[in-house]
Amino acid sequence: MALFLVGLCLAAVITLYFKNNPLGHSRKFMFRRFVNWFPLGMTYAFLYMARYNLNVSKNALGDMMTKEQFGLIFAAGTITYGFSFLLNGPIVDKIGGKKGIIIAALGAAVMNLLMGGVTYLYLMGRLKTNMVLAFSVLFALNMFFQSYGAVSIIKVKAYWFHVRERGVFGAIFGTLISFGVYFAFDWGQAIVDASQLHIEGERTAFQNFIQHIFAIDTGTTNATWLVFTIPAFLLICWALVDMVLLKDSPKEANFDDFDTADASSAPGESDENLKISIGFMLKKIFTNPVMITIALVDFTSGVLRNGIMQWYLVFAKEMKDVNPSFFDGSQFFIQNWGLLLCLTGIFGGFAAGIISDRVFQSRRGPPAALNNAFMIVLLIIMIFSLMKNPTALGAAAVMLTFAVIGVHSLMSGTAAADFGGKKMTATASGIVDGCVYLGSGIQSIAIGYLSHKDWHYWPLFLLPFAFLGLWLSIKMWHELPAATKKYILEVEKAEEKLQQSGAHSQAGPGTDPAGVPN
């Protein structure tokens, strides 16, 4: 049933993509662009699976990896991810998104294979080094390669999507993240369940397949390492698809390039042969107050997103011994966590993207502010329902994903490209996405420590970041790139006037455009 719902959502996303064509692209172009972004997007989704499988492995290992140890390992990766963009963003701006996503997929695949190897040695009692140190180093390297992924997908998007189409692509970006979360938590948990040495009850077809192909019943321990090695194999497959199908720009696919009306279209920025140094790009971004605001909004979203995704299952499963009745009431959310995050993330991304493009003329601040206000309400609900009402707590946690994916897809997936321009898209979006994971690293260490003291600190720690995100989003409420404002004034307003004059002439003399006598 879960797989059917996810497939249905994917079909809906593809349908919406083909129906959203405000610039009147040809059907051939729309199809070729789909062939471009779909494998690119699926690669990114499986990068997420190869990232959050660490969370699933922590629950599978139980007390062998404590909350504090998990928090340190995850923080090592997320902080590495955040700072990697200072290097990887400019690199992808130079080499292109196609090479960037292939580096991400193959590099992350190798690191996941090595993490699977460490897990195998640890469970077999043959690991000669400290487990936390080994995982921290490998997960940090995994996240270094993963950091190529987000900037690559946005780099390619910048050449293929006009600013007035990017709100919906931001929604597609949020959808891909949501699929990745579903793959990580639900598929990852299914892999862990199937890799058990002794499976209670009747086996599913998937469990039989995993048990037989890996001969698990001939071993001496659970094959938990498969939660790392299987995503690695899937990433290699998608990297091969990208090598064949992916093109960095319409020109490479035998279409004409077009003006995307982002910051690169501004006077003095539109020369395609203009050479831009890394120092110039970094200076341009770090001295742009709007880019700084976007980065800080996404910093708060990083704290809030991973503050929920990373810790809800850890909290809920810990209640098994602390508060059994609360644990029993949380079963729906525990068993369907990945699916729930996937569905709410998809709807949240699309709601924010469509509202941004169609209600606020592609301004990203207003829907981000609305989502942050919603998160404040949800966090207050979490504070008062913690340990008391598992349904209210679980529902609030899930709906937080709806809101925070809306913010993240707009800031990292869309606003950074709008204001960075297609020439500096990877650097701009990389710095913004880096702030997401700096926020994630901070919350990982903080909540890992605070939850050991008292779980009530968990939502209390997150609440100030929702207020900060709201204030920053309001500050950028009216912001649009100059080229986008010019496009709206010269093209869209002119079209509106033409339509109004046409309606007036059809209505005849003595009547207004609606046909009502003057």
Side-chain angles (χ1 to χ4, degrees), residues 251-270:
K251 187 175 182 180
E252 291 186 10
N254 297 319
F255 290 93
D256 291 333
D257 284 333
F258 59 94
D259 183 3
T260 55
D262 58 19
S264 62
S265 301
E269 305 284 346
S270 57

Side-chain angles (χ1 to χ4, degrees), residues 79-207:
I79 292 172
T80 299
Y81 189 96
F83 284 108
S84 294
F85 287 116
L86 293 174
L87 173 66
N88 296 347
I91 287 175
V92 171
D93 272 324
K94 295 293 184 183
I95 66 175
K98 177 175 181 175
K99 291 178 181 177
I101 196 71
I102 292 169
I103 290 171
L106 296 180
V110 171
M111 291 306 117
N112 270 265
L113 289 172
L114 291 174
M115 285 192 288
V118 167
T119 306
Y120 173 83
L121 292 174
Y122 181 67
L123 292 174
M124 291 295 182
R126 290 157 54 185
L127 185 65
K128 301 300 182 184
T129 188
N130 180 273
M131 184 266 287
V132 177
L133 177 62
F135 265 106
S136 295
V137 171
L138 291 175
F139 189 63
L141 289 170
N142 177 42
M143 294 298 277
F144 171 78
F145 286 109
Q146 292 254 358
S147 67
Y148 279 93
V151 293
S152 297
I153 195 171
I154 296 168
K155 179 68 175 177
V156 174
K157 179 274 292 282
Y159 283 86
W160 284 87
F161 286 83
H162 190 275
V163 164
R164 299 293 276 137
E165 302 174 290
R166 289 181 186 175
V168 170
F169 183 84
I172 294 171
F173 182 72
T175 299
L176 300 172
I177 292 172
S178 301
F179 285 148
V181 171
Y182 166 71
F183 295 150
F185 286 103
D186 282 19
W187 286 20
Q189 189 59 51
I191 291 169
V192 167
D193 293 341
S195 64
Q196 300 293 306
L197 188 60
H198 303 292
I199 299 176
E200 297 180 3
E202 186 177 350
R203 294 181 180 181
T204 65
F206 178 73
Q207 288 173 340

Side-chain angles (χ1 to χ4, degrees), residues 68-80:
E68 293 91 337
Q69 290 173 334
F70 170 66
L72 289 172
I73 294 166
F74 199 85
T78 52
I79 292 172
T80 299

Side-chain angles (χ1 to χ4, degrees), residues 72 96 106 142 145 218 236 253 289 306 400 416 423 452 494:
L72 289 172
L106 296 180
N142 177 42
F145 286 109
T218 64
I236 292 169
N306 286 296
L400 266 158
K423 295 174 191 171
H452 184 69

